[in-house]
């Protein structure tokens, strides 16, 4: 049936700084997984604009993959915010590699 190779989830987040919510930092994300862990698409929408992040796994051999990240954002998005969102995802992914490998 159609859609059996697709999984997704949505998330809502607000940044905190020094334990306090940062007003206007709300973001909604839609995350779509296509295929057996081969391509992941993140769409972040904020009051300041959107970010689209692509996270792709290319199998090279058993237990070996090439990982690629690419992202695009609205030109009006502050570079620091884009760096924070994308950088945190990549850092979290890197931290999880040990878990997935064992």
């Amino acid at each position: 049936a159609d859609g059996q190779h697709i999984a997704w989830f949505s998330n809502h987040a607000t940044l905190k700084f020094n334990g306090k919510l940062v007003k206007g930092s709300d973001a909604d994300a839609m995350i779509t997984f296509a295929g057996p862990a081969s391509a992941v698409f993140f769409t972040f929408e904020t009051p300041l604009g959107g970010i689209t992040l692509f996270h792709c796994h290319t199998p090279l051999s058993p237990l070996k993959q090439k990982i690629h990240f690419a992202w695009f954002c609205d030109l009006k998005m502050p570079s620091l915010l884009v760096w924070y969102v994308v950088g945190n995802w990549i850092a979290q992914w890197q931290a999880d590699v040990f878990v997935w490998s064992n």
Side-chain angles (χ1 to χ4, degrees), residues 69 85-97:
F69 296 95
V85 170
V86 172
N88 272 291
W89 170 251
I90 293 173
Q92 183 62 53
W93 175 83
Q94 289 171 329
D96 287 346
V97 167

Side-chain angles (χ1 to χ4, degrees), residues 1-94:
D2 287 348
Q4 287 186 344
H5 64 287
I6 302 291
W8 65 90
F9 70 92
S10 60
N11 189 35
H12 179 83
T14 304
L15 297 178
K16 276 188 176 181
F17 184 73
N18 286 336
K20 297 185 180 182
L21 295 177
V22 177
K23 187 176 181 177
S25 68
D26 291 53
D28 291 305
M30 176 59 79
I31 299 86
T32 304
F33 300 87
S38 59
V40 185
F41 308 92
F42 296 81
T43 305
F44 302 95
E45 292 296 334
T46 77
L48 300 174
I51 303 169
T52 300
L53 170 64
F54 299 96
H55 175 175
C56 301
H57 300 85
T58 303
L60 300 176
S61 64
L63 302 177
K64 186 173 182 181
Q65 301 177 7
K66 178 180 179 183
I67 308 301
H68 179 75
F69 296 95
W71 58 91
F72 303 90
C73 66
D74 290 332
L75 292 176
K76 62 185 176 181
M77 289 286 292
S79 297
L80 184 60
L81 179 58
V82 175
W83 172 84
Y84 181 82
V85 170
V86 172
N88 272 291
W89 170 251
I90 293 173
Q92 183 62 53
W93 175 83
Q94 289 171 329

